[in-house]
Amino acid sequence: QVQLVESGGGLVQPGGSLTLSCAASGIIFSWYAMGWYRQAPGKQRDLVATITNSGSTNYADSVKGRFTISRDNAKNTVYLQMNNLKPEDTAVYYCKTTIATVNYWGQGTQVTVSS
């Protein structure tokens, strides 16, 4: 079955950096677009960044110039490099893929930006 496992979250000071990873299994990873989403307490889950199977990327305005999404098809892994982190980036970060109209989500990884 499809499984997505995120890692790399943690506590970081404002201005710091983190890299999140999402390892996929049960799919032919190179066929599918992948996305990162985040959900802060009491708020809806929002798109952060997406990457197509050919490597085209898209970002939410709030993270453009600070976050970079990338993928390694040999490792079945998608990454989110986050630089210049701000307190408002605090959220649970999820990766997602869609296969035949079905959305698959990971369990999420907490990112907390605080001094």
Side-chain angles (χ1 to χ4, degrees), residues 42-109:
K43 296 188 176 181
Q44 67 180 17
R45 192 172 296 187
D46 291 329
L47 171 72
V48 176
T50 60
I51 185 166
T52 68
N53 58 350
S54 61
S56 297
T57 58
N58 181 58
Y59 297 92
D61 287 343
S62 59
V63 306
K64 281 181 180 176
R66 300 189 298 123
F67 290 11
T68 303
I69 189 171
S70 62
R71 63 190 298 158
D72 185 336
N73 289 338
K75 295 183 178 180
N76 287 4
T77 301
V78 60
Y79 303 96
L80 187 69
Q81 172 69 44
M82 305 185 295
N83 297 325
N84 190 22
L85 282 159
K86 304 176 180 180
E88 52 263 42
D89 295 317
T90 295
V92 179
Y93 284 70
Y94 299 89
C95 66
K96 189 197 87 170
T97 192
T98 301
I99 301 171
T101 74
V102 177
N103 291 326
Y104 296 90
W105 296 90
Q107 83 287 352
T109 186

Side-chain angles (χ1 to χ4, degrees), residues 12-48:
V12 63
Q13 292 186 342
S17 298
L18 279 176
T19 299
L20 306 183
S21 301
C22 172
S25 60
I27 62 171
I28 302 175
F29 181 77
S30 61
W31 286 9
Y32 300 104
M34 301 294 297
W36 283 99
Y37 293 73
R38 66 186 181 186
Q39 188 167 19
K43 296 188 176 181
Q44 67 180 17
R45 192 172 296 187
D46 291 329
L47 171 72
V48 176

